[in-house]
Amino acid sequence: MSQNAAMITLALSKGRIFDETLPLLKAAGVEVMEDPETSRKLILPTNRPDVRVVLVRATDVPTYVQYGGADVGVAGKDVLLEHGGQGLYQPLDLNIARCRMSVAVRADFDYAAAVKQGSRIRVATKYTTVARQHFADKGVHVDLIKLYGSMELAPLTGLADAIVDLVSTGSTLRANHLVEVEQIMPISSRLIVNQAALKLKRAALRSLIDAFAGAIAKE
Ligand code: PRT
Ligand code: MG
């Protein structure tokens, strides 16, 4: 548990999750006192002495909350599916940082032929859990290549036939002459809570969860 029993520690990642969580926090009466884009601090105070924000990588948010380095956090469904969700209570879909998980290929690649039952396809992705399940459900043998970024490059260089990646506007795919051939699932960010903290700091966490729920309902 984060050291102080009266303190609630909220884990956020910089960028879209931080930016899109701010209005929900504000509606819950919490205002972050520093701008993570200009500050080098990793722990940001808020207007509430009992609430602080810690900045971690998006993929590390579930890990911080699972082990009690933070009591609560905001993480994308993509990140949660890869993490597995152990030790996490997921009370709310915040409906922010929305996008979709999709399959994309080079425009000249015949995806329909490549995913005929019993066939084999080479897929590069950061999201190996989701991709493995998706192709297993289709009865397609998949060779997965784990990447940590710039997935779009894989089909262009011959590293893979296809990628599984997040798509929002589609402009990254278009800029790299890739086409989205299948949507796997819609993605948004969830509020996650450490299960032990929920018992030990029940009143404080409940009121924060309820305030977030009220803020989402208003949108
Ligand atoms: O960027 P960094 O390496 O630090 O970490 P991160 O990529 O894990 O964090 P961040 O802040 O980029 O993403 C945090 C969360 O935002 C993700 O876990 C998703 O749940 C959500 N999200 C929403 C997105 C996007 N939209 C999105 N478009 N995450 C990534 N992208 C990327 C996508 O991977 C692709 O490279 O944006 C590109 C596509 O965007 P379009 O608009 O060109 O289609
Ligand atoms: Mg990113």
Side-chain angles (χ1 to χ4, degrees):
M1 260 353 70
S2 50
Q3 321 94 337
N4 186 338
M7 173 72 80
I8 288 185
T9 300
L10 167 64
L12 296 175
S13 53
K14 277 208 262 188
R16 64 189 114 220
I17 288 193
F18 184 90
D19 297 345
E20 295 186 37
T21 302
L22 273 195
L24 299 175
L25 276 175
K26 197 162 181 188
V30 178
E31 290 189 47
V32 184
M33 307 308 277
E34 251 165 291
D35 176 2
E37 299 305 330
T38 54
S39 167
R40 285 174 185 273
K41 286 188 189 165
L42 297 175
I43 301 182
L44 306 179
T46 73
N47 64 324
R48 293 242 313 250
D50 59 333
V51 180
R52 64 179 184 174
V53 169
V54 293
L55 296 175
V56 303
R57 283 294 291 265
T59 43
D60 291 335
V61 169
T63 308
Y64 266 81
V65 177
Q66 173 186 7
Y67 293 107
D71 303 299
V72 55
V74 177
K77 185 180 178 187
D78 50 317
V79 165
L80 287 167
L81 287 171
E82 294 302 315
H83 169 272
Q86 311 88 324
L88 301 176
Y89 171 55
Q90 301 186 24
L92 289 177
D93 181 350
L94 299 175
N95 220 2
I96 60 168
R98 290 170 62 180
C99 57
R100 55 193 183 268
M101 181 91 71
S102 294
V103 182
V105 299
R106 268 168 54 159
D108 59 2
F109 182 77
D110 188 350
Y111 183 67
V115 294
K116 291 245 165 65
Q117 282 275 334
S119 64
R120 193 158 204 105
I121 188 170
R122 194 131 72 126
V123 176
T125 187
K126 185 161 130 183
Y127 308 100
T128 49
T129 304
V130 172
R132 184 174 292 110
Q133 187 64 52
H134 177 68
F135 289 102
D137 290 348
K138 294 163 74 76
V140 172
H141 298 286
V142 64
D143 294 315
L144 287 172
I145 300 175
K146 169 88 184 185
L147 291 178
Y148 292 88
S150 302
M151 261 90 80
E152 301 83 12
L153 198 54
L156 304 179
T157 55
L159 181 69
D161 303 314
I163 60 171
V164 168
D165 195 6
L166 301 177
V167 180
S168 165
T169 61
S171 59
T172 305
L173 292 181
R174 272 193 300 279
N176 292 290
H177 310 288
L178 298 177
V179 289
E180 186 178 8
V181 284
E182 202 172 11
Q183 299 192 1
I184 300 177
M185 65 176 78
I187 299 287
S188 56
S189 287
R190 319 282 148 133
L191 190 69
I192 57 174
V193 184
N194 175 280
Q195 282 174 351
L198 191 61
K199 297 197 183 81
L200 295 168
K201 305 181 183 181
R202 184 159 204 93
L205 284 171
R206 261 293 146 209
S207 76
L208 189 66
I209 295 166
D210 291 346
F212 266 83
I216 310 166
K218 279 193 208 111
E219 285 185 2

